[in-house]
Amino acid sequence: MTTGLLTASALALPATALAKSQTYVDVTAGLGYSTNPLLALGDNTGSGFGRFSLYGYHGWTTERTSSSISAFVENSSYFKNYGNKQVFSLAANTSYAANEKVKLFGS
């Protein structure tokens, strides 16, 4: 009976249950000074700044498939002239080896 239950459970598991995965988050913070951070014209363009960023990644692979998602966000706060500036990015990638000669991918 136990063998039958184990076999049925193994057949019911989706392929992603057998996937290897990796997840991480990178946090960065810093202080600095730039004589012209936004390449502005004119005099008195220098400013000190503080910067904080986060990068997150999750990827997983199976025998034939490799997929990942990632996100990046950053805020730079300038102490004079420029205020706050933000950047962000989202990405997703996947590839599937249908056979040894055909590989499908998307981004």
Side-chain angles (χ1 to χ4, degrees):
M1 174 131 175
T2 304
T3 305
L5 287 174
L6 290 175
T7 303
S9 297
L11 292 175
L13 289 175
T16 55
L18 303 174
K20 296 178 184 176
S21 67
Q22 179 181 25
T23 303
Y24 60 88
V25 175
D26 183 28
V27 179
T28 306
L31 294 171
Y33 180 84
S34 177
T35 57
N36 196 349
L38 301 182
L39 302 175
L41 298 175
D43 296 328
N44 195 22
T45 56
S47 179
F49 63 89
R51 182 171 290 154
F52 180 79
S53 67
L54 290 170
Y55 176 77
Y57 173 89
H58 179 70
W60 58 99
T61 59
T62 64
E63 187 175 308
R64 292 183 173 213
T65 305
S66 175
S67 300
S68 68
I69 55 174
S70 62
F72 174 78
V73 63
E74 177 181 275
N75 183 69
S76 296
S77 298
Y78 294 93
F79 302 137
K80 69 175 195 175
N81 298 334
Y82 305 107
N84 291 317
K85 304 294 181 193
Q86 294 84 28
V87 294
F88 64 92
S89 168
L90 298 172
N93 299 292
T94 190
S95 65
Y96 172 72
N99 60 44
E100 33 192 63
K101 293 184 179 182
V102 177
K103 187 172 186 178
L104 305 171
F105 61 93
S107 211

